[in-house]
Amino acid sequence: NIPNWLPVTFSINDGKWFVINDTEIISIERNLDFKTGLLSRALKVRDQNGNITLIESGRFTSMAEPHLSALEYTVKPLNYSGKITLKTGLNGAIINDGVERYKSLNQQHLKPVEEGTQGNRMFVVVSTTQSEILVAEAADHEFHLDGNLVEAQLTPTVTASAVYGTMSVNMEKEQSITLFKKVAIFTS
C-alpha cells in the first residue's frame, strides 16, 4: 500500500465524524463508467439524531496523466441546518494487514520522510522500509457552496506520515458544500 489519498469525511455541529458503518443507510447507488473511468456514489444516510444527509462523490485517475487523480465530495443536509465540517487528508501511516498469515510480521512498510501544508495544499513523503523507494503525494483542495467557489482555508493537523485538514461552513437545509481534491502521486 502507498499513502491513502482518499480520506474525506464530515461532521454535523461538531459531532462525530461520519463513518458509514455507524449510520443508517437509506439509499445507496454506485456506478463505474467504463468509458470515462469515473467511480461515483450517491448515499442518503440518517444519523442517531435523525439528520438526513445526501453524500455524493466521484473519483478517477487520469489515463492521460497517470500520476494525477481527483475526487469530488458533496454533502447536502436534507432535513436540517447547521455547521458542516469537512475533513480531508493524505495518510501515509498505513499498514499492510490484509493477509491473515502475515499478521505476525512487521506490517509497517512505510517510514515518514516529510509532510506539511501550504495554504490548501498538503503533502506527504514516505519511504519504503526495505527498498527505500520514496513515495510523494500532494493534494490541492477547493470548496464550492451551492456551486460557487468559497474562499476557505483548511486548518491543518500534521503528524508523522499523515496530514489532515478541516474546514467548516454554516449551512441551511438543501444547501450543498463540495470539496474538489486534486492529487499528484510520484515515486523515486
Side-chain angles (χ1 to χ4, degrees):
N1 290 332
I2 64 168
N4 186 358
W5 65 274
L6 296 171
V8 177
T9 189
F10 70 98
S11 69
I12 303 167
N13 295 322
D14 297 321
K16 294 179 181 177
W17 294 111
F18 169 74
V19 176
I20 195 166
N21 294 334
D22 297 339
T23 308
E24 176 191 350
I25 298 172
I26 298 170
S27 65
I28 186 169
E29 182 181 324
R30 292 183 209 134
N31 184 45
L32 175 58
D33 185 325
F34 284 102
K35 186 173 185 175
T36 65
L38 181 66
L39 175 62
S40 58
R41 179 177 73 174
L43 182 67
K44 192 183 297 185
V45 297
R46 180 182 297 117
D47 67 14
Q48 318 75 308
N49 300 320
N51 297 319
I52 299 174
T53 307
L54 177 63
I55 306 159
E56 296 176 308
S57 63
R59 67 181 188 226
F60 72 95
T61 296
S62 173
M63 293 300 287
E65 298 287 342
H67 295 284
L68 300 179
S69 296
L71 69 75
E72 175 181 358
Y73 189 90
T74 301
V75 175
K76 184 176 187 177
L78 297 180
N79 69 341
Y80 65 95
S81 298
K83 179 176 151 185
I84 298 292
T85 301
L86 292 174
K87 181 180 179 182
T88 177
L90 298 174
N91 183 5
I94 57 175
I95 60 173
N96 283 335
D97 65 350
V99 179
E100 188 64 38
R101 69 178 181 256
Y102 297 142
K103 292 206 183 217
S104 63
L105 302 174
N106 180 9
Q107 298 171 344
Q108 189 68 43
H109 68 286
L110 299 175
K111 59 185 175 185
V113 174
E114 187 178 3
E115 53 281 315
T117 65
Q118 182 181 29
N120 282 347
R121 176 173 291 160
M122 57 181 62
F123 67 92
V124 168
V125 182
V126 296
S127 173
T128 57
T129 55
Q130 290 184 347
S131 57
E132 297 187 357
I133 295 171
L134 295 175
V135 181
E137 293 184 356
D140 282 335
H141 299 81
E142 190 175 280
F143 302 94
H144 292 248
L145 184 62
D146 287 336
N148 299 311
L149 181 64
V150 176
E151 293 299 326
Q153 190 70 32
L154 284 169
T155 302
T157 302
V158 180
T159 60
S161 299
V163 179
Y164 286 89
T166 58
M167 153 305 171
S168 298
V169 61
N170 290 317
M171 297 179 60
E172 297 299 321
K173 181 172 72 170
E174 297 288 331
Q175 279 190 304
S176 63
I177 184 71
T178 301
L179 161 67
F180 292 97
K181 183 176 184 179
K182 297 171 277 185
V183 182
I185 305 167
F186 281 87
T187 67
S188 61

